[in-house]
Amino acid sequence: MIKKFLTTLILIIGILLLYIPILIIMLLSFNNSQRPYEFNGLTFKWYTQIFSDNSLFSAIINSWSIAICATIIATILGIFIALAINRMKQKYKPFVMFLNNMPILNADIVTGVSLMIIFTLLGFTFGRFTMLLAHIFFCIPFVVLSILPRLKQLDNNAYDAARDLGCTHMQAIRKVIIPGIKIGILTGALIAFTMSIDDFIISYYTTGEGFSNFSTWIYSRLNRRTFNPAAYAYNSIITIGSLLILIYINIGIRPGGKKIEKN
Amino acid sequence: MKKLIELHHINKSFDDQVILDDFNLYINENEFITLVGPSGCGKTTLLRIIGGLESVDEGQVIFDGKDITKLEPNERTINTVFQKYALFPHLNVYENIAFGLRLKKVNEKEIEELVKWSLKLVNLNNYEDRKIDSLSGGQQQRVAIARAIVNKPKVLLLDEPLGALDLKLRQNMQYELKELQKKLHITFIFVTHDQEEALSMSDTVVVMNSGLIQQIGTPEDIYNEPKNRFVANFIGESNIIRGKYLGDKLVEFENVVFECVDTNFEKDEICDVVIRPEDFDVVSLDKAKLIGIVTDKVFKGVHYELCVDINGKEYIVHTYEEAEINSQLGLAIDPFEIHLMKVPQIEKA
């Protein structure tokens, strides 16, 4: 009885700890006062301010454009890298997989600083381009990692069969291989997008010339008195948005369990 | 009969390992030919070379009089049924079968007719809309065959297509494949490691080992007159005994002289004698030419398999009558059941 009570209690505390910050931010997004410690009435003005505060709005646009571009490019490159690794000889595979997994295991700060050094050595101007490069770089391993198991599951002869039935090399990849690993590609792209859109550390070290995405923008404003609560509003929109997507996916999967993969 | 495929001096190695060594073979039109051999003998590689999925190191592949050695698989009028079917799980049965036709830009009406026709040939009427993973192994096998024959290839390559099926299903499919080949009037090149399958289905059997042809012939030839020890052992069970040809259709082994039917040996030439286990006749001891002691018996259903010790050597004998272990057994052999093989030069010395 006590044991059950305790587990429930710990569960409730855990959930609260996870959700209270989110709820607080949502609350603040409706707070009429600009200061977080005082509450004087509800308002929607911060939601309109997302669009009227130019620096915030452009940071948000930057975040999205970087995330979308990085996802697309990393996914395309990741597909080809995964295809190549899959066809590699068995004895080299573990080594290449190690190389692929290293950036994932590596601390963001190390990745960020080392990319900064490399970009400096290459003489790049820091800004949109370097940040995009960095994001592509750290997204690729996730894409590769989510595609490879799918490739392994694919019948070894699927490519041969496509060729045998009249496909050229590229047709076989497009008509048989890609559809066969579709779920892996979508998963990879989704992970890449998530990683990119909420990255701060690597972005911080690889940007410059006043180019900032949402996370670096918040960091640069954090200590100012004039911190714009429109950022809370944006955060709330993102939270509600993801929640809706999650609910939609879960409802979509449920009936008959059709969308769930067999394995 | 017209030669449809000619393989000239094919050499192929993987990482210094020789898979095919100066390989030559002719395949006729409308022939059901089976490549049989233990795993790793190069039979699948040979099939992939014919299909264009594997390149050759040296040699030529001639198809219908034209050199196709360098052609891509999609440029050959040859289709393959793969070992594990290699169906496309993201497409349904209809789209799997229509796959090759769509690439050829056949119009939709014709595709529909052809898909129906091929599904009927493999006895899968009304399966068009089924998903691949809702089919049993046997049904997937049929779809794979339909997907290949719908393109009306001149040659159908089958890479151990029945390997994953259970015994009963496999026997049915053997029969159906044979029927299908007769109906379609095309060449089937069938790869298997199952010697029984090879014997029961083929017009011609090619026995392979370590990249070389051991023997080519009709199933009867291969079984009754194996050319060497490998073939004798691989195709069915054999007792192989060293013997001496005495001339005049007489051969001596186990210190007994037997009549035989072979003549192409020198007098006093050393030879290998092949006797199939079912070719021994169990006779009473006074009529016996060989007498041995039964050391083991196994009931096999149709017959008993006996291990018989003759002068310290073990023989396998198949007989319908039971025999007691440790009892004496008298054996005789009809002259036409004794097959003599040349002994390789190296072993004579």
Side-chain angles (χ1 to χ4, degrees), chain A residues 165 175-176, chain B residues 87-103 108 111-112 115 119 127-132 143 147 150:
Chain A
L165 291 167
K175 288 178 189 268
V176 172
Chain B
L87 296 171
F88 307 136
H90 63 286
L91 301 174
N92 65 12
V93 170
Y94 183 94
E95 287 303 323
N96 260 282
I97 298 174
F99 191 86
L101 300 171
R102 289 209 194 285
L103 287 164
E108 199 57 39
I111 290 182
E112 205 181 317
V115 171
L119 275 174
Y127 273 72
E128 286 92 336
D129 297 329
R130 293 283 290 270
K131 288 190 126 190
I132 295 302
V143 175
R147 186 180 68 174
V150 79

PDB file of all heavy atoms in Angstrom, chain A residues 165 175-176, chain B residues 87-103 108 111-112 115 119 127-132 143 147 150:
ATOM      1  N   LEU A 165      14.144  -6.961 -63.833  1.00  0.00           N
ATOM      2  CA  LEU A 165      12.859  -6.670 -64.457  1.00  0.00           C
ATOM      3  C   LEU A 165      12.927  -5.453 -65.372  1.00  0.00           C
ATOM      4  O   LEU A 165      11.922  -5.019 -65.901  1.00  0.00           O
ATOM      5  CB  LEU A 165      11.798  -6.453 -63.383  1.00  0.00           C
ATOM      6  CG  LEU A 165      11.435  -7.726 -62.608  1.00  0.00           C
ATOM      7  CD1 LEU A 165      10.640  -7.399 -61.364  1.00  0.00           C
ATOM      8  CD2 LEU A 165      10.654  -8.685 -63.493  1.00  0.00           C
ATOM      9  N   LYS A 175      12.725   3.268 -57.503  1.00  0.00           N
ATOM     10  CA  LYS A 175      11.441   2.561 -57.483  1.00  0.00           C
ATOM     11  C   LYS A 175      11.372   1.447 -56.454  1.00  0.00           C
ATOM     12  O   LYS A 175      10.294   1.010 -56.093  1.00  0.00           O
ATOM     13  CB  LYS A 175      11.170   1.947 -58.874  1.00  0.00           C
ATOM     14  CG  LYS A 175      10.819   2.994 -59.913  1.00  0.00           C
ATOM     15  CD  LYS A 175      10.612   2.324 -61.257  1.00  0.00           C
ATOM     16  CE  LYS A 175      10.490   3.331 -62.348  1.00  0.00           C
ATOM     17  NZ  LYS A 175       9.118   3.723 -62.630  1.00  0.00           N
ATOM     18  N   VAL A 176      12.519   0.938 -56.020  1.00  0.00           N
ATOM     19  CA  VAL A 176      12.474  -0.205 -55.105  1.00  0.00           C
ATOM     20  C   VAL A 176      13.177   0.078 -53.779  1.00  0.00           C
ATOM     21  O   VAL A 176      12.603  -0.131 -52.715  1.00  0.00           O
ATOM     22  CB  VAL A 176      13.077  -1.459 -55.770  1.00  0.00           C
ATOM     23  CG1 VAL A 176      13.202  -2.584 -54.764  1.00  0.00           C
ATOM     24  CG2 VAL A 176      12.208  -1.892 -56.933  1.00  0.00           C
TER      25      VAL A 176
ATOM     26  N   LEU B  87      10.305 -10.126 -53.605  1.00  0.00           N
ATOM     27  CA  LEU B  87       9.140  -9.341 -54.013  1.00  0.00           C
ATOM     28  C   LEU B  87       9.253  -7.954 -53.394  1.00  0.00           C
ATOM     29  O   LEU B  87       9.981  -7.760 -52.423  1.00  0.00           O
ATOM     30  CB  LEU B  87       7.861 -10.026 -53.540  1.00  0.00           C
ATOM     31  CG  LEU B  87       7.613 -11.397 -54.184  1.00  0.00           C
ATOM     32  CD1 LEU B  87       6.454 -12.092 -53.510  1.00  0.00           C
ATOM     33  CD2 LEU B  87       7.354 -11.249 -55.677  1.00  0.00           C
ATOM     34  N   PHE B  88       8.530  -6.995 -53.974  1.00  0.00           N
ATOM     35  CA  PHE B  88       8.599  -5.628 -53.460  1.00  0.00           C
ATOM     36  C   PHE B  88       7.451  -5.415 -52.470  1.00  0.00           C
ATOM     37  O   PHE B  88       6.298  -5.320 -52.869  1.00  0.00           O
ATOM     38  CB  PHE B  88       8.511  -4.632 -54.614  1.00  0.00           C
ATOM     39  CG  PHE B  88       9.524  -4.896 -55.690  1.00  0.00           C
ATOM     40  CD1 PHE B  88       9.155  -4.839 -57.025  1.00  0.00           C
ATOM     41  CD2 PHE B  88      10.844  -5.218 -55.376  1.00  0.00           C
ATOM     42  CE1 PHE B  88      10.083  -5.095 -58.020  1.00  0.00           C
ATOM     43  CE2 PHE B  88      11.772  -5.478 -56.362  1.00  0.00           C
ATOM     44  CZ  PHE B  88      11.385  -5.415 -57.686  1.00  0.00           C
ATOM     45  N   PRO B  89       7.771  -5.338 -51.177  1.00  0.00           N
ATOM     46  CA  PRO B  89       6.701  -5.310 -50.165  1.00  0.00           C
ATOM     47  C   PRO B  89       5.858  -4.045 -50.216  1.00  0.00           C
ATOM     48  O   PRO B  89       4.750  -4.028 -49.698  1.00  0.00           O
ATOM     49  CB  PRO B  89       7.458  -5.417 -48.838  1.00  0.00           C
ATOM     50  CG  PRO B  89       8.868  -5.047 -49.139  1.00  0.00           C
ATOM     51  CD  PRO B  89       9.108  -5.328 -50.580  1.00  0.00           C
ATOM     52  N   HIS B  90       6.364  -2.978 -50.856  1.00  0.00           N
ATOM     53  CA  HIS B  90       5.565  -1.747 -50.868  1.00  0.00           C
ATOM     54  C   HIS B  90       4.527  -1.752 -51.992  1.00  0.00           C
ATOM     55  O   HIS B  90       3.737  -0.831 -52.106  1.00  0.00           O
ATOM     56  CB  HIS B  90       6.470  -0.518 -50.980  1.00  0.00           C
ATOM     57  CG  HIS B  90       7.253  -0.454 -52.260  1.00  0.00           C
ATOM     58  ND1 HIS B  90       8.343  -1.260 -52.506  1.00  0.00           N
ATOM     59  CD2 HIS B  90       7.096   0.295 -53.364  1.00  0.00           C
ATOM     60  CE1 HIS B  90       8.825  -0.988 -53.707  1.00  0.00           C
ATOM     61  NE2 HIS B  90       8.082  -0.055 -54.242  1.00  0.00           N
ATOM     62  N   LEU B  91       4.557  -2.795 -52.821  1.00  0.00           N
ATOM     63  CA  LEU B  91       3.579  -2.890 -53.903  1.00  0.00           C
ATOM     64  C   LEU B  91       2.695  -4.118 -53.678  1.00  0.00           C
ATOM     65  O   LEU B  91       3.147  -5.104 -53.095  1.00  0.00           O
ATOM     66  CB  LEU B  91       4.300  -3.030 -55.246  1.00  0.00           C
ATOM     67  CG  LEU B  91       5.260  -1.898 -55.627  1.00  0.00           C
ATOM     68  CD1 LEU B  91       6.000  -2.249 -56.908  1.00  0.00           C
ATOM     69  CD2 LEU B  91       4.515  -0.592 -55.783  1.00  0.00           C
ATOM     70  N   ASN B  92       1.457  -4.070 -54.145  1.00  0.00           N
ATOM     71  CA  ASN B  92       0.604  -5.247 -54.003  1.00  0.00           C
ATOM     72  C   ASN B  92       0.921  -6.265 -55.099  1.00  0.00           C
ATOM     73  O   ASN B  92       1.825  -6.050 -55.914  1.00  0.00           O
ATOM     74  CB  ASN B  92      -0.880  -4.852 -53.989  1.00  0.00           C
ATOM     75  CG  ASN B  92      -1.328  -4.254 -55.313  1.00  0.00           C
ATOM     76  OD1 ASN B  92      -0.614  -4.337 -56.311  1.00  0.00           O
ATOM     77  ND2 ASN B  92      -2.491  -3.632 -55.316  1.00  0.00           N
ATOM     78  N   VAL B  93       0.210  -7.369 -55.117  1.00  0.00           N
ATOM     79  CA  VAL B  93       0.512  -8.448 -56.058  1.00  0.00           C
ATOM     80  C   VAL B  93       0.462  -7.940 -57.502  1.00  0.00           C
ATOM     81  O   VAL B  93       1.374  -8.167 -58.294  1.00  0.00           O
ATOM     82  CB  VAL B  93      -0.466  -9.624 -55.844  1.00  0.00           C
ATOM     83  CG1 VAL B  93      -0.332 -10.641 -56.969  1.00  0.00           C
ATOM     84  CG2 VAL B  93      -0.211 -10.271 -54.509  1.00  0.00           C
ATOM     85  N   TYR B  94      -0.608  -7.209 -57.805  1.00  0.00           N
ATOM     86  CA  TYR B  94      -0.789  -6.701 -59.163  1.00  0.00           C
ATOM     87  C   TYR B  94       0.394  -5.826 -59.586  1.00  0.00           C
ATOM     88  O   TYR B  94       0.987  -6.021 -60.643  1.00  0.00           O
ATOM     89  CB  TYR B  94      -2.094  -5.901 -59.236  1.00  0.00           C
ATOM     90  CG  TYR B  94      -2.416  -5.384 -60.629  1.00  0.00           C
ATOM     91  CD1 TYR B  94      -3.242  -6.119 -61.472  1.00  0.00           C
ATOM     92  CD2 TYR B  94      -1.907  -4.165 -61.081  1.00  0.00           C
ATOM     93  CE1 TYR B  94      -3.539  -5.661 -62.741  1.00  0.00           C
ATOM     94  CE2 TYR B  94      -2.202  -3.698 -62.357  1.00  0.00           C
ATOM     95  CZ  TYR B  94      -3.020  -4.454 -63.180  1.00  0.00           C
ATOM     96  OH  TYR B  94      -3.306  -4.000 -64.437  1.00  0.00           O
ATOM     97  N   GLU B  95       0.760  -4.879 -58.714  1.00  0.00           N
ATOM     98  CA  GLU B  95       1.834  -3.951 -59.065  1.00  0.00           C
ATOM     99  C   GLU B  95       3.192  -4.646 -59.131  1.00  0.00           C
ATOM    100  O   GLU B  95       4.057  -4.276 -59.917  1.00  0.00           O
ATOM    101  CB  GLU B  95       1.881  -2.787 -58.070  1.00  0.00           C
ATOM    102  CG  GLU B  95       0.747  -1.791 -58.243  1.00  0.00           C
ATOM    103  CD  GLU B  95       0.696  -1.199 -59.647  1.00  0.00           C
ATOM    104  OE1 GLU B  95       1.763  -0.951 -60.233  1.00  0.00           O
ATOM    105  OE2 GLU B  95      -0.424  -0.996 -60.160  1.00  0.00           O
ATOM    106  N   ASN B  96       3.391  -5.663 -58.290  1.00  0.00           N
ATOM    107  CA  ASN B  96       4.628  -6.436 -58.367  1.00  0.00           C
ATOM    108  C   ASN B  96       4.760  -7.075 -59.742  1.00  0.00           C
ATOM    109  O   ASN B  96       5.810  -7.015 -60.367  1.00  0.00           O
ATOM    110  CB  ASN B  96       4.637  -7.536 -57.297  1.00  0.00           C
ATOM    111  CG  ASN B  96       5.461  -7.149 -56.089  1.00  0.00           C
ATOM    112  OD1 ASN B  96       6.687  -7.221 -56.123  1.00  0.00           O
ATOM    113  ND2 ASN B  96       4.793  -6.705 -55.045  1.00  0.00           N
ATOM    114  N   ILE B  97       3.675  -7.685 -60.196  1.00  0.00           N
ATOM    115  CA  ILE B  97       3.732  -8.391 -61.474  1.00  0.00           C
ATOM    116  C   ILE B  97       3.815  -7.399 -62.630  1.00  0.00           C
ATOM    117  O   ILE B  97       4.515  -7.622 -63.613  1.00  0.00           O
ATOM    118  CB  ILE B  97       2.510  -9.324 -61.615  1.00  0.00           C
ATOM    119  CG1 ILE B  97       2.558 -10.371 -60.499  1.00  0.00           C
ATOM    120  CG2 ILE B  97       2.489 -10.004 -62.967  1.00  0.00           C
ATOM    121  CD1 ILE B  97       1.345 -11.256 -60.427  1.00  0.00           C
ATOM    122  N   ALA B  98       3.131  -6.259 -62.463  1.00  0.00           N
ATOM    123  CA  ALA B  98       3.124  -5.261 -63.541  1.00  0.00           C
ATOM    124  C   ALA B  98       4.431  -4.479 -63.615  1.00  0.00           C
ATOM    125  O   ALA B  98       4.672  -3.752 -64.585  1.00  0.00           O
ATOM    126  CB  ALA B  98       1.953  -4.304 -63.336  1.00  0.00           C
ATOM    127  N   PHE B  99       5.293  -4.647 -62.609  1.00  0.00           N
ATOM    128  CA  PHE B  99       6.507  -3.822 -62.484  1.00  0.00           C
ATOM    129  C   PHE B  99       7.334  -3.776 -63.765  1.00  0.00           C
ATOM    130  O   PHE B  99       7.664  -2.711 -64.281  1.00  0.00           O
ATOM    131  CB  PHE B  99       7.354  -4.355 -61.322  1.00  0.00           C
ATOM    132  CG  PHE B  99       8.479  -3.459 -60.905  1.00  0.00           C
ATOM    133  CD1 PHE B  99       8.267  -2.435 -59.995  1.00  0.00           C
ATOM    134  CD2 PHE B  99       9.752  -3.630 -61.425  1.00  0.00           C
ATOM    135  CE1 PHE B  99       9.302  -1.601 -59.606  1.00  0.00           C
ATOM    136  CE2 PHE B  99      10.797  -2.804 -61.041  1.00  0.00           C
ATOM    137  CZ  PHE B  99      10.568  -1.784 -60.129  1.00  0.00           C
ATOM    138  N   GLY B 100       7.646  -4.961 -64.287  1.00  0.00           N
ATOM    139  CA  GLY B 100       8.475  -5.033 -65.491  1.00  0.00           C
ATOM    140  C   GLY B 100       7.768  -4.453 -66.711  1.00  0.00           C
ATOM    141  O   GLY B 100       8.387  -3.788 -67.545  1.00  0.00           O
ATOM    142  N   LEU B 101       6.459  -4.683 -66.784  1.00  0.00           N
ATOM    143  CA  LEU B 101       5.693  -4.201 -67.941  1.00  0.00           C
ATOM    144  C   LEU B 101       5.617  -2.676 -67.943  1.00  0.00           C
ATOM    145  O   LEU B 101       5.717  -2.030 -68.973  1.00  0.00           O
ATOM    146  CB  LEU B 101       4.278  -4.783 -67.913  1.00  0.00           C
ATOM    147  CG  LEU B 101       4.199  -6.319 -67.953  1.00  0.00           C
ATOM    148  CD1 LEU B 101       2.775  -6.776 -67.701  1.00  0.00           C
ATOM    149  CD2 LEU B 101       4.689  -6.834 -69.297  1.00  0.00           C
ATOM    150  N   ARG B 102       5.446  -2.107 -66.750  1.00  0.00           N
ATOM    151  CA  ARG B 102       5.375  -0.644 -66.660  1.00  0.00           C
ATOM    152  C   ARG B 102       6.690  -0.017 -67.144  1.00  0.00           C
ATOM    153  O   ARG B 102       6.685   1.032 -67.780  1.00  0.00           O
ATOM    154  CB  ARG B 102       5.120  -0.217 -65.219  1.00  0.00           C
ATOM    155  CG  ARG B 102       3.734  -0.538 -64.739  1.00  0.00           C
ATOM    156  CD  ARG B 102       3.271   0.443 -63.672  1.00  0.00           C
ATOM    157  NE  ARG B 102       2.097  -0.059 -62.978  1.00  0.00           N
ATOM    158  CZ  ARG B 102       0.884  -0.074 -63.503  1.00  0.00           C
ATOM    159  NH1 ARG B 102       0.676   0.411 -64.706  1.00  0.00           N
ATOM    160  NH2 ARG B 102      -0.132  -0.563 -62.824  1.00  0.00           N
ATOM    161  N   LEU B 103       7.802  -0.647 -66.803  1.00  0.00           N
ATOM    162  CA  LEU B 103       9.085  -0.112 -67.253  1.00  0.00           C
ATOM    163  C   LEU B 103       9.183  -0.146 -68.770  1.00  0.00           C
ATOM    164  O   LEU B 103       9.833   0.687 -69.378  1.00  0.00           O
ATOM    165  CB  LEU B 103      10.235  -0.913 -66.648  1.00  0.00           C
ATOM    166  CG  LEU B 103      10.484  -0.659 -65.159  1.00  0.00           C
ATOM    167  CD1 LEU B 103      11.350  -1.749 -64.578  1.00  0.00           C
ATOM    168  CD2 LEU B 103      11.126   0.700 -64.950  1.00  0.00           C
ATOM    169  N   GLU B 108      -1.974   0.207 -70.297  1.00  0.00           N
ATOM    170  CA  GLU B 108      -2.627  -0.293 -69.083  1.00  0.00           C
ATOM    171  C   GLU B 108      -3.529  -1.499 -69.343  1.00  0.00           C
ATOM    172  O   GLU B 108      -3.582  -2.434 -68.561  1.00  0.00           O
ATOM    173  CB  GLU B 108      -3.427   0.858 -68.466  1.00  0.00           C
ATOM    174  CG  GLU B 108      -3.785   0.654 -67.008  1.00  0.00           C
ATOM    175  CD  GLU B 108      -2.567   0.429 -66.113  1.00  0.00           C
ATOM    176  OE1 GLU B 108      -1.520   1.091 -66.341  1.00  0.00           O
ATOM    177  OE2 GLU B 108      -2.646  -0.424 -65.224  1.00  0.00           O
ATOM    178  N   ILE B 111      -1.426  -4.531 -69.815  1.00  0.00           N
ATOM    179  CA  ILE B 111      -0.847  -4.932 -68.531  1.00  0.00           C
ATOM    180  C   ILE B 111      -1.858  -5.751 -67.755  1.00  0.00           C
ATOM    181  O   ILE B 111      -1.550  -6.827 -67.243  1.00  0.00           O
ATOM    182  CB  ILE B 111      -0.428  -3.685 -67.704  1.00  0.00           C
ATOM    183  CG1 ILE B 111       0.778  -3.008 -68.342  1.00  0.00           C
ATOM    184  CG2 ILE B 111      -0.118  -4.075 -66.260  1.00  0.00           C
ATOM    185  CD1 ILE B 111       1.297  -1.805 -67.588  1.00  0.00           C
ATOM    186  N   GLU B 112      -3.106  -5.261 -67.722  1.00  0.00           N
ATOM    187  CA  GLU B 112      -4.130  -5.953 -66.957  1.00  0.00           C
ATOM    188  C   GLU B 112      -4.329  -7.376 -67.474  1.00  0.00           C
ATOM    189  O   GLU B 112      -4.398  -8.338 -66.696  1.00  0.00           O
ATOM    190  CB  GLU B 112      -5.428  -5.158 -67.033  1.00  0.00           C
ATOM    191  CG  GLU B 112      -6.331  -5.428 -65.849  1.00  0.00           C
ATOM    192  CD  GLU B 112      -7.625  -4.645 -65.946  1.00  0.00           C
ATOM    193  OE1 GLU B 112      -7.577  -3.445 -66.302  1.00  0.00           O
ATOM    194  OE2 GLU B 112      -8.681  -5.241 -65.682  1.00  0.00           O
ATOM    195  N   VAL B 115      -1.208  -9.543 -66.570  1.00  0.00           N
ATOM    196  CA  VAL B 115      -1.141  -9.880 -65.145  1.00  0.00           C
ATOM    197  C   VAL B 115      -2.142 -10.991 -64.841  1.00  0.00           C
ATOM    198  O   VAL B 115      -1.834 -11.984 -64.171  1.00  0.00           O
ATOM    199  CB  VAL B 115      -1.406  -8.646 -64.263  1.00  0.00           C
ATOM    200  CG1 VAL B 115      -1.555  -9.043 -62.807  1.00  0.00           C
ATOM    201  CG2 VAL B 115      -0.284  -7.630 -64.413  1.00  0.00           C
ATOM    202  N   LEU B 119      -1.144 -14.709 -63.508  1.00  0.00           N
ATOM    203  CA  LEU B 119      -1.666 -15.187 -62.221  1.00  0.00           C
ATOM    204  C   LEU B 119      -2.427 -16.498 -62.418  1.00  0.00           C
ATOM    205  O   LEU B 119      -2.410 -17.380 -61.566  1.00  0.00           O
ATOM    206  CB  LEU B 119      -2.586 -14.137 -61.596  1.00  0.00           C
ATOM    207  CG  LEU B 119      -1.874 -13.055 -60.788  1.00  0.00           C
ATOM    208  CD1 LEU B 119      -2.854 -11.991 -60.351  1.00  0.00           C
ATOM    209  CD2 LEU B 119      -1.190 -13.652 -59.565  1.00  0.00           C
ATOM    210  N   TYR B 127      -5.914 -12.742 -56.885  1.00  0.00           N
ATOM    211  CA  TYR B 127      -5.002 -12.322 -55.816  1.00  0.00           C
ATOM    212  C   TYR B 127      -4.432 -10.926 -56.083  1.00  0.00           C
ATOM    213  O   TYR B 127      -3.568 -10.463 -55.355  1.00  0.00           O
ATOM    214  CB  TYR B 127      -3.846 -13.316 -55.663  1.00  0.00           C
ATOM    215  CG  TYR B 127      -4.163 -14.457 -54.746  1.00  0.00           C
ATOM    216  CD1 TYR B 127      -5.040 -15.451 -55.149  1.00  0.00           C
ATOM    217  CD2 TYR B 127      -3.603 -14.551 -53.487  1.00  0.00           C
ATOM    218  CE1 TYR B 127      -5.352 -16.501 -54.312  1.00  0.00           C
ATOM    219  CE2 TYR B 127      -3.897 -15.601 -52.640  1.00  0.00           C
ATOM    220  CZ  TYR B 127      -4.776 -16.577 -53.057  1.00  0.00           C
ATOM    221  OH  TYR B 127      -5.077 -17.612 -52.224  1.00  0.00           O
ATOM    222  N   GLU B 128      -4.914 -10.246 -57.131  1.00  0.00           N
ATOM    223  CA  GLU B 128      -4.331  -8.980 -57.566  1.00  0.00           C
ATOM    224  C   GLU B 128      -4.138  -7.968 -56.446  1.00  0.00           C
ATOM    225  O   GLU B 128      -3.121  -7.313 -56.355  1.00  0.00           O
ATOM    226  CB  GLU B 128      -5.197  -8.330 -58.661  1.00  0.00           C
ATOM    227  CG  GLU B 128      -5.109  -8.993 -60.013  1.00  0.00           C
ATOM    228  CD  GLU B 128      -6.174 -10.048 -60.195  1.00  0.00           C
ATOM    229  OE1 GLU B 128      -6.666 -10.574 -59.185  1.00  0.00           O
ATOM    230  OE2 GLU B 128      -6.509 -10.347 -61.357  1.00  0.00           O
ATOM    231  N   ASP B 129      -5.166  -7.826 -55.598  1.00  0.00           N
ATOM    232  CA  ASP B 129      -5.129  -6.723 -54.635  1.00  0.00           C
ATOM    233  C   ASP B 129      -4.471  -7.093 -53.312  1.00  0.00           C
ATOM    234  O   ASP B 129      -4.390  -6.269 -52.406  1.00  0.00           O
ATOM    235  CB  ASP B 129      -6.560  -6.235 -54.357  1.00  0.00           C
ATOM    236  CG  ASP B 129      -7.192  -5.693 -55.621  1.00  0.00           C
ATOM    237  OD1 ASP B 129      -6.430  -5.154 -56.459  1.00  0.00           O
ATOM    238  OD2 ASP B 129      -8.415  -5.821 -55.791  1.00  0.00           O
ATOM    239  N   ARG B 130      -4.005  -8.334 -53.202  1.00  0.00           N
ATOM    240  CA  ARG B 130      -3.429  -8.755 -51.928  1.00  0.00           C
ATOM    241  C   ARG B 130      -2.084  -8.090 -51.686  1.00  0.00           C
ATOM    242  O   ARG B 130      -1.347  -7.791 -52.624  1.00  0.00           O
ATOM    243  CB  ARG B 130      -3.264 -10.279 -51.916  1.00  0.00           C
ATOM    244  CG  ARG B 130      -4.584 -11.017 -51.918  1.00  0.00           C
ATOM    245  CD  ARG B 130      -5.241 -11.008 -50.559  1.00  0.00           C
ATOM    246  NE  ARG B 130      -4.503 -11.843 -49.630  1.00  0.00           N
ATOM    247  CZ  ARG B 130      -4.743 -13.136 -49.443  1.00  0.00           C
ATOM    248  NH1 ARG B 130      -5.690 -13.733 -50.118  1.00  0.00           N
ATOM    249  NH2 ARG B 130      -4.030 -13.817 -48.561  1.00  0.00           N
ATOM    250  N   LYS B 131      -1.802  -7.878 -50.392  1.00  0.00           N
ATOM    251  CA  LYS B 131      -0.481  -7.347 -50.036  1.00  0.00           C
ATOM    252  C   LYS B 131       0.498  -8.508 -49.960  1.00  0.00           C
ATOM    253  O   LYS B 131       0.115  -9.629 -49.611  1.00  0.00           O
ATOM    254  CB  LYS B 131      -0.551  -6.649 -48.668  1.00  0.00           C
ATOM    255  CG  LYS B 131      -1.289  -5.336 -48.705  1.00  0.00           C
ATOM    256  CD  LYS B 131      -1.091  -4.627 -47.385  1.00  0.00           C
ATOM    257  CE  LYS B 131      -0.544  -3.223 -47.642  1.00  0.00           C
ATOM    258  NZ  LYS B 131      -0.110  -2.554 -46.436  1.00  0.00           N
ATOM    259  N   ILE B 132       1.759  -8.199 -50.237  1.00  0.00           N
ATOM    260  CA  ILE B 132       2.759  -9.265 -50.273  1.00  0.00           C
ATOM    261  C   ILE B 132       2.883  -9.960 -48.924  1.00  0.00           C
ATOM    262  O   ILE B 132       2.919 -11.180 -48.844  1.00  0.00           O
ATOM    263  CB  ILE B 132       4.133  -8.699 -50.701  1.00  0.00           C
ATOM    264  CG1 ILE B 132       4.056  -8.198 -52.144  1.00  0.00           C
ATOM    265  CG2 ILE B 132       5.214  -9.750 -50.557  1.00  0.00           C
ATOM    266  CD1 ILE B 132       3.654  -9.234 -53.158  1.00  0.00           C
ATOM    267  N   VAL B 143       3.867 -15.739 -56.905  1.00  0.00           N
ATOM    268  CA  VAL B 143       3.867 -14.350 -57.388  1.00  0.00           C
ATOM    269  C   VAL B 143       5.222 -14.042 -58.044  1.00  0.00           C
ATOM    270  O   VAL B 143       5.293 -13.415 -59.096  1.00  0.00           O
ATOM    271  CB  VAL B 143       3.584 -13.354 -56.243  1.00  0.00           C
ATOM    272  CG1 VAL B 143       3.719 -11.915 -56.736  1.00  0.00           C
ATOM    273  CG2 VAL B 143       2.198 -13.583 -55.679  1.00  0.00           C
ATOM    274  N   ARG B 147       5.679 -12.808 -61.737  1.00  0.00           N
ATOM    275  CA  ARG B 147       6.339 -11.527 -62.020  1.00  0.00           C
ATOM    276  C   ARG B 147       7.418 -11.697 -63.085  1.00  0.00           C
ATOM    277  O   ARG B 147       7.683 -10.792 -63.871  1.00  0.00           O
ATOM    278  CB  ARG B 147       6.946 -10.973 -60.731  1.00  0.00           C
ATOM    279  CG  ARG B 147       7.530  -9.600 -60.886  1.00  0.00           C
ATOM    280  CD  ARG B 147       8.106  -9.094 -59.586  1.00  0.00           C
ATOM    281  NE  ARG B 147       9.274  -9.852 -59.182  1.00  0.00           N
ATOM    282  CZ  ARG B 147      10.042  -9.542 -58.133  1.00  0.00           C
ATOM    283  NH1 ARG B 147       9.726  -8.492 -57.385  1.00  0.00           N
ATOM    284  NH2 ARG B 147      11.086 -10.265 -57.823  1.00  0.00           N
ATOM    285  N   VAL B 150       5.604 -12.935 -66.739  1.00  0.00           N
ATOM    286  CA  VAL B 150       4.715 -11.975 -67.384  1.00  0.00           C
ATOM    287  C   VAL B 150       5.478 -11.157 -68.437  1.00  0.00           C
ATOM    288  O   VAL B 150       4.908 -10.638 -69.386  1.00  0.00           O
ATOM    289  CB  VAL B 150       4.066 -11.046 -66.319  1.00  0.00           C
ATOM    290  CG1 VAL B 150       5.023  -9.963 -65.876  1.00  0.00           C
ATOM    291  CG2 VAL B 150       2.788 -10.449 -66.847  1.00  0.00           C
TER     292      VAL B 150
END
